Amino acid sequence: MIRAGDHRPESWHAALDRLQRDGLPHALATQVTSAGSTPREPGARMVITADGVFDTLGGGTFEYQVIEAARARLAGKDGSAEGGMSLEAFSLGGRSGQCCGGFVNVLIEVFPGSATTLALFGAGHVGTELVRLAAPLPWRVHWHDSRPGVFPDWAAEQPRLECRHAPDPIAAVAALPPGAHALVLTHDHAEDLALVDALLARGDVASLGLIGSTSKWASFRSRLGKAGHVEAALARVRCPIGMAAGGTGGDKTPYAIALATLAELLPLTASVERPDQRGLDPAELRHLFTS
């Protein structure tokens, strides 16, 4: 597949590296055995996504059937990919209707991509520490800021991180995928309020945290209630962030706030990914954070 700005098709190994780094769903199809006349030899590979194909197993009906099988696995039973492997057998004179007459086994490995998306609004000190701390986690992070040129140079090399200049908070919220976990910690209270208002209006964020004091949230809560947000929705907003993990024990440095916030967020992401799994309650979190 030729990507915008490229002059030649992207190879399967380049596509695999990119998709793994970005945490996007994809499948790797590998020809593992062959008998008789076949288009390619064992070891040939191709990468398949919902809307792209990278490299080839030889073309024809056989390859089309491999792509169909991979995309069926990527779609899953509920519209989301499930990781794992399957071995598919293709008779090039039977199942595939080709005249080669050979027989091929193809191993299809499905990588479902990141199950969690973190939408982070604000590239200040706490936001920067949060992005650093989240780097080893298998999350996709959408990092937003309304100011131009504020993202650090190293952010371009961090896997699964996308930096977005977002001068319009309403548009930035509208572009989020469903089920994202959102943290609002911008440089401006008015922008914070606009973002929380838009995030609550969406109604499909998995969790919502806001940096600030109890007095800040009391003011926001009153204004958001007057704007029409119901009590049940307002009760889901965590402000100050990090308190369920035991807070920062008086340490208000950006690193400490980010660490407490991430510790609070981890069980929330686990409960979304596995609805049958009980999340830790605040007392359990406090014990883990301080032990």
Side-chain angles (χ1 to χ4, degrees):
M1 180 175 179
I2 299 177
R3 291 166 51 77
D6 290 345
H7 299 288
R8 59 182 181 179
E10 189 174 18
S11 64
W12 70 265
H13 46 82
L16 184 66
D17 177 69
R18 173 176 58 81
L19 293 163
Q20 292 274 341
R21 283 177 54 85
D22 292 347
L24 298 173
H26 59 283
L28 174 64
T30 304
Q31 182 175 330
V32 291
T33 64
S34 64
S37 177
T38 60
R40 297 285 302 274
E41 298 300 319
R45 292 181 173 91
M46 66 189 302
V47 170
I48 300 136
T49 65
D51 57 3
V53 175
F54 307 89
D55 237 314
T56 179
L57 295 184
T61 305
F62 154 62
E63 183 173 288
Y64 177 76
Q65 289 174 336
V66 172
I67 295 168
E68 275 195 323
R71 286 180 174 162
R73 294 281 311 283
L74 286 168
K77 295 179 180 178
D78 59 355
S80 59
E82 293 185 7
M85 302 182 192
S86 64
L87 188 64
E88 298 280 341
F90 298 88
S91 173
L92 302 191
R95 174 179 177 180
S96 299
Q98 296 183 210
C99 60
C100 299
F103 188 88
V104 176
N105 282 316
V106 176
L107 180 67
I108 298 178
E109 300 174 79
V110 175
F111 301 89
S114 300
T116 296
T117 297
L118 174 61
L120 187 62
F121 294 89
H125 298 298
V126 176
T128 298
E129 294 297 345
L130 273 165
V131 170
R132 287 185 187 274
L133 286 168
L137 297 169
W139 298 353
R140 295 188 69 193
V141 180
H142 295 175
W143 197 9
H144 306 76
D145 201 287
S146 59
R147 302 164 295 177
V150 296
F151 297 109
D153 292 339
W154 53 260
E157 301 301 320
Q158 182 161 313
R160 299 175 300 281
L161 173 62
E162 185 176 336
C163 298
R164 300 180 174 184
H165 176 224
D168 182 350
I170 307 302
V173 169
L176 293 178
H181 294 265
L183 291 174
V184 177
L185 24 81
T186 79
H187 64 291
D188 181 76
H189 279 208
E191 189 171 327
D192 283 352
L193 181 61
L195 284 164
V196 174
D197 182 30
L199 288 161
L200 287 172
R202 276 194 60 138
D204 64 355
V205 292
S207 70
L208 174 53
L210 169 68
I211 198 168
S213 62
T214 54
S215 60
K216 174 182 176 179
W217 176 234
S219 173
F220 274 32
R221 187 169 192 150
S222 174
R223 296 170 70 177
L224 290 165
K226 291 176 182 177
H229 296 289
V230 299
E231 183 61 28
L234 295 173
R236 295 186 63 225
V237 180
R238 304 185 315 284
C239 184
I241 50 176
M243 298 307 293
T248 59
D251 189 342
K252 296 184 179 180
T253 61
Y255 180 84
I257 295 171
L259 188 62
T261 300
L262 197 63
E264 180 179 74
L265 194 57
L266 279 168
L268 298 178
T269 64
S271 65
V272 169
E273 292 168 10
R274 295 180 57 188
D276 60 330
Q277 182 180 31
R278 181 182 66 89
L280 297 176
D281 65 28
E284 291 173 308
L285 270 175
R286 192 172 298 112
H287 171 74
L288 288 175
F289 189 74
T290 57
S291 59

